[in-house]
Amino acid sequence: MMLPSPTHSNYTNLLTDIERGQVKIPQFQRDFVWTMQKSAALLDSIIKGYPVGTFIFWSTKDRLRSVRDLGNTPLPEPKDGETVSFVLDGQQRLTSLYAALRGIKVERNSGKTDDFADMFIYLDAGEDDQIVVTEVADLAEGTWIRLRDLIHGSFQQLAAFPPHYHERLSEYRRRIESYDFSIILVKDVPIDVATEIFTRINVGGKPLSVFEIMVAKTYDEPREFDLAEKFDELVARLEPLDYETVSDATLLQLVSLILTKECKKQTILKLSKADFIDTWPRATDAFERAVEFFRNSYRIPVSQLLPYNTLLVPFAYFFFHHPDKPSAEQRPLLEDFFWRCSLGGRYSSAVESKLAQDVRRIDRILKGRSPDYDWAVDISPDFLLENGWFNAGRSSIKAILCLYAFQEPKSFNDDSIVSIRNYWLKQANSKNYHHFFPRTYLGKKNVEEWRINNILNITIVDDYLNKREIRAKPPATYMKAFRKSNKALDKTMASHLIGDLDDFGVWTNDYDTFLAERAKLVSAELAKRIISRQIDTDGQPSRDDDYEEEAVAFE
């Protein structure tokens, strides 16, 4: 990397570069937000010869996505191979300068338009007064001139002013045209370095995300590739499936793992633009296959129920290399992987490094071989009882919610299918999360809160059922009403992993019996999905020679 190069430019050269399309606003810059008054103050400082700060430009031949022209004014595109200066610092000042001196209209994202032709020089102002103003209604006619006319007006236009203003008009014009703007030029650096500079300059602003940088880096007009648009198209396809909450970072991790088996920020930012674009279509296809697999095979109807959105990455990696349905050997291995990651809090920290480890496990599953794990899971009834504090943000709790959703829970009152949607399940107090033994009822019985708010006391129901039918009634009371309206009540309750209502203590409002019996049933269902391993019993992972060889080869 070359050291930043201090340079300078006068007004004429700077505006010429802008109008040739060689000074651009990169897509990751914020919008132009300065008011007309603040822009006028900048021009006032220039006329008075005050310092107005240094512009920092990134000089490169790279082409970035959807670069904005100054003031959203259409300007020519530079020719292929030409160097472009992207503004890293000074966008507000540079836009103000260009808009005011050209007298253009600036369209804001809010829909408002500011006419910078309404920027004036007050000719009777003293050096200590505001010379550049935006309002002239109270000024005498002939005591002001538009800023753009001062710079670009003809000799006759300026000569029409009273003679005692001529010297002042000439002096103000000379000051603007000869003002020496300070510029630091950053050259020969990749986009991640340029955006890091941008982030450090704008310490008070929001740091750029990896996705924002990759949107800029991977933009390719000839190949019609715009990462932001491609991601939006993917989300639009996922929305009817109720999986639209996936993050953009998830897709970047997937592409990086496919290409390099690593997905740290530095790795993603160093990915080849051509390789990224080439891989994207198959990667997103694999991602959609993973979504369909979760919906159909694991019956997870919405992404909000996923213990981690990150789980889609290793599964999409699997479908990238194996577009067909999993084989009989692969299917139980994938299921074991899913539940171990979910119940074991796999992606609660160090996500990038764990994903890199886990694609090695998926590589083994692709070969029909069982991976080894260095974390244990406990699905015993006692463990579920002791560690079941209900919080919709905990991965282990979400895993059990997925188990409930797999049963396709039915409505208590008529055995109709409960509708599960993303926007209903964003928080633990959602009306769709029903405490089978209501909290108010148990609270009056002096049951401790940690026992009341247990995942084993949760069922997924329709919103109105909580509000209108159940409320704080004990289960023996409200279930009697449902028995009258629902002839298939036993089948309905089985869809909530609740067995015989007598055995579960429902008719006697026996909460301890209910928790114990449901813990057994949930534990048994989890056992169907998890392969029993040595690490779960004695804490020691088993490794075979074949696995060791593959690990060495990978390293």
Side-chain angles (χ1 to χ4, degrees):
M1 170 182 168
M2 294 180 61
L3 291 174
S5 171
T7 184
H8 57 86
S9 180
N10 61 27
Y11 147 82
T12 302
N13 290 336
L14 195 56
L15 259 66
T16 298
D17 286 344
I18 291 171
E19 295 193 325
R20 287 177 58 199
Q22 293 190 302
V23 176
K24 295 283 189 181
I25 305 296
Q27 185 269 341
F28 51 74
Q29 275 274 21
R30 64 181 178 145
D31 296 325
F32 178 60
V33 297
W34 273 21
T35 63
M36 289 275 289
Q37 291 71 29
K38 193 165 184 177
S39 297
L42 173 76
L43 272 296
D44 191 75
S45 295
I46 290 172
I47 281 183
K48 292 173 179 174
Y50 297 165
V52 294
T54 299
F55 297 120
I56 300 180
F57 293 166
W58 171 38
S59 180
T60 179
K61 292 182 180 179
D62 289 349
R63 294 294 180 263
L64 303 188
R65 180 232 187 218
S66 301
V67 290
R68 298 197 306 278
D69 295 304
L70 290 166
N72 289 327
T73 300
L75 293 171
E77 289 299 317
K79 296 177 181 177
D80 288 342
E82 282 188 338
T83 298
V84 178
S85 294
F86 293 107
V87 182
L88 296 183
D89 190 43
Q91 179 209 171
Q92 306 294 320
R93 287 170 286 146
L94 198 58
T95 301
S96 296
L97 177 67
Y98 177 70
L101 295 179
R102 287 302 189 205
I104 63 175
K105 292 181 179 179
V106 174
E107 294 183 7
R108 312 278 188 172
N109 282 346
S110 63
K112 179 184 176 185
T113 299
D114 284 332
D115 190 350
F116 275 72
D118 294 334
M119 194 85 72
F120 309 93
I121 302 289
Y122 179 38
L123 296 174
D124 281 339
E127 286 292 327
D128 293 332
D129 298 325
Q130 185 83 12
I131 297 173
V132 181
V133 297
T134 58
E135 296 290 341
V136 293
D138 296 332
L139 303 182
E141 190 69 30
T143 64
W144 51 267
I145 183 174
R146 290 183 185 276
L147 182 60
R148 69 175 184 187
D149 291 339
L150 173 70
I151 300 301
H152 305 293
S154 65
F155 174 78
Q156 291 84 355
Q157 189 176 3
L158 299 181
F161 280 84
H164 64 278
Y165 287 136
H166 289 177
E167 184 178 350
R168 183 164 292 189
L169 288 166
S170 177
E171 175 64 11
Y172 286 164
R173 183 170 180 168
R174 184 197 66 79
R175 289 183 188 180
I176 293 174
E177 291 180 340
S178 63
Y179 191 91
D180 201 30
F181 293 97
S182 173
I183 298 171
I184 291 179
L185 210 56
V186 179
K187 298 188 289 186
D188 299 326
V189 302
I191 188 171
D192 54 310
V193 174
T195 51
E196 177 65 19
I197 293 170
F198 169 81
T199 300
R200 294 192 181 200
I201 291 168
N202 294 276
V203 291
K206 181 182 177 183
L208 292 174
S209 69
V210 180
F211 186 78
E212 288 172 315
I213 299 173
M214 290 301 289
V215 165
K217 176 179 177 176
T218 59
Y219 176 70
D220 193 306
E221 188 171 1
R223 298 186 65 177
E224 298 183 347
F225 188 85
D226 183 330
L227 179 57
E229 289 183 1
K230 295 292 184 185
F231 179 73
D232 288 344
E233 290 168 3
L234 173 65
V235 171
R237 295 196 299 272
L238 295 176
E239 192 167 3
L241 303 177
D242 283 314
Y243 268 71
E244 74 280 2
T245 65
V246 296
S247 70
D248 48 35
T250 302
L251 271 298
L252 295 183
Q253 290 167 342
L254 172 60
V255 175
S256 185
L257 287 164
I258 290 169
L259 291 172
T260 70
K261 294 191 186 293
E262 296 286 343
C263 63
K264 291 182 179 178
K265 175 181 177 180
Q266 300 90 328
T267 304
I268 293 172
L269 293 175
K270 290 178 181 177
L271 293 176
S272 157
K273 173 179 173 178
D275 290 344
F276 189 98
I277 296 172
D278 289 342
T279 305
W280 180 264
R282 282 187 59 206
T284 52
D285 178 71
F287 194 85
E288 291 178 77
R289 288 174 186 269
V291 168
E292 289 287 358
F293 186 74
F294 280 4
R295 282 175 52 83
N296 297 332
S297 294
Y298 297 165
R299 299 184 196 166
I300 303 171
V302 298
S303 53
Q304 197 66 48
L305 278 180
L306 283 175
Y308 300 104
N309 276 343
T310 304
L311 275 164
L312 282 161
V313 176
F315 277 80
Y317 177 91
F318 173 89
F319 284 107
F320 183 89
H321 294 286
H322 186 90
D324 297 327
K325 290 183 177 181
S327 68
E329 294 78 17
Q330 294 166 337
R331 203 171 185 86
L333 298 175
L334 284 173
E335 190 165 43
D336 181 49
F337 174 84
F338 176 90
W339 290 97
R340 285 185 176 277
C341 289
S342 302
L343 295 169
R346 177 64 174 163
Y347 300 124
S348 297
S349 62
V351 173
E352 294 89 353
S353 59
K354 287 177 180 175
L355 279 173
Q357 296 165 14
D358 288 347
V359 295
R360 293 168 60 190
R361 293 186 166 95
I362 298 298
D363 283 337
R364 284 185 63 84
I365 293 175
L366 283 163
K367 297 175 183 177
R369 299 175 182 173
S370 179
D372 286 328
Y373 295 92
D374 53 9
W375 71 93
V377 292
D378 189 343
I379 58 171
S380 66
D382 287 345
F383 184 87
L384 296 176
L385 281 166
E386 294 298 319
N387 296 275
W389 173 260
F390 180 61
N391 180 322
R394 292 176 60 194
S395 64
S396 59
I397 295 303
K398 280 193 162 186
I400 296 176
L401 289 173
C402 286
L403 191 68
Y404 292 167
F406 180 86
Q407 316 303 320
E408 297 180 329
K410 307 297 191 299
S411 178
F412 293 176
N413 64 340
D414 62 4
D415 199 46
S416 61
I417 296 175
V418 171
S419 181
I420 302 174
R421 292 290 181 267
N422 270 326
Y423 65 91
W424 285 344
L425 301 176
K426 290 182 179 179
Q427 52 193 5
N429 63 0
S430 165
K431 293 297 183 182
N432 292 101
Y433 296 130
H434 163 59
H435 290 76
F436 190 80
F437 276 71
R439 297 175 83 163
T440 303
Y441 167 75
L442 291 177
K444 291 177 180 178
K445 298 290 185 182
N446 296 318
V447 179
E448 295 173 291
E449 177 63 18
W450 71 269
R451 282 180 58 77
I452 297 173
N453 195 40
N454 192 297
I455 185 62
L456 298 170
N457 190 28
I458 297 295
T459 54
I460 299 175
V461 300
D462 287 310
D463 187 9
Y464 78 90
L465 201 66
N466 264 332
K467 289 181 179 177
R468 303 178 191 173
E469 305 290 339
I470 299 174
R471 299 183 181 178
K473 300 172 187 175
T477 300
Y478 72 75
M479 289 304 291
K480 285 177 183 176
F482 290 136
R483 169 149 280 180
K484 292 179 181 178
S485 63
N486 182 4
K487 301 303 181 184
L489 186 62
D490 290 341
K491 181 166 70 75
T492 298
M493 300 319 297
S495 74
H496 292 273
L497 291 182
I498 297 174
D500 182 274
L501 298 183
D502 281 314
D503 294 343
F504 270 63
V506 173
W507 298 126
T508 55
N509 294 322
D510 186 341
Y511 186 53
D512 288 340
T513 297
F514 177 83
L515 286 183
E517 291 302 315
R518 201 163 190 228
K520 293 176 187 175
L521 205 49
V522 170
S523 176
E525 285 295 320
L526 290 174
K528 297 176 184 177
R529 293 158 170 79
I530 292 176
I531 299 171
S532 180
R533 297 177 182 274
Q534 184 178 339
I535 194 169
D536 300 326
T537 55
D538 61 16
Q540 296 298 318
S542 60
R543 301 181 69 87
D544 56 48
D545 294 339
D546 204 19
Y547 192 93
E548 292 287 356
E549 269 182 32
E550 289 180 21
V552 171
F554 179 85
E555 297 295 339

